[in-house]
Amino acid sequence: MGLIWTLIVGGLIGLIAGALTKEGSSMGWIANIVAGLIGSWLGQALFGTWGPSLAGMALIPSIIGAVIVVAVTSFMLRKIG
């Protein structure tokens, strides 16, 4: 059940990051989950684990990290495509 909860929270973090960057509609739900999980890891590695936490993820640093991941990914995809 812990893995499912982590995937759900990661997907929500990716969804929030996609909405903040206006790139979420072009990404699928799997990409949102991946961006949320990678962004959570990146955000906590860069900014620490302050703020509220859910499913072992500090929400504020996780959302900031996911915004970075979504922005960089969409920038790279535009340059390639």
Side-chain angles (χ1 to χ4, degrees):
M1 188 66 180
L3 177 63
I4 294 171
W5 187 240
T6 301
L7 292 175
I8 290 170
V9 173
L12 290 174
I13 290 171
L15 183 68
I16 292 169
L20 290 174
T21 60
K22 306 287 191 260
E23 299 292 334
S25 61
S26 64
M27 296 171 49
W29 59 274
I30 293 176
N32 278 335
I33 292 173
V34 170
L37 293 174
I38 293 173
S40 176
W41 172 81
L42 178 68
Q44 290 182 62
L46 293 175
F47 305 114
T49 57
W50 53 274
S53 181
L54 190 61
M57 296 179 219
L59 295 179
I60 307 285
S62 295
I63 291 171
I64 294 170
V67 166
I68 293 169
V69 168
V70 169
V72 168
T73 303
S74 62
F75 176 77
M76 296 301 286
L77 289 176
R78 270 190 245 127
K79 287 292 183 184
I80 292 172

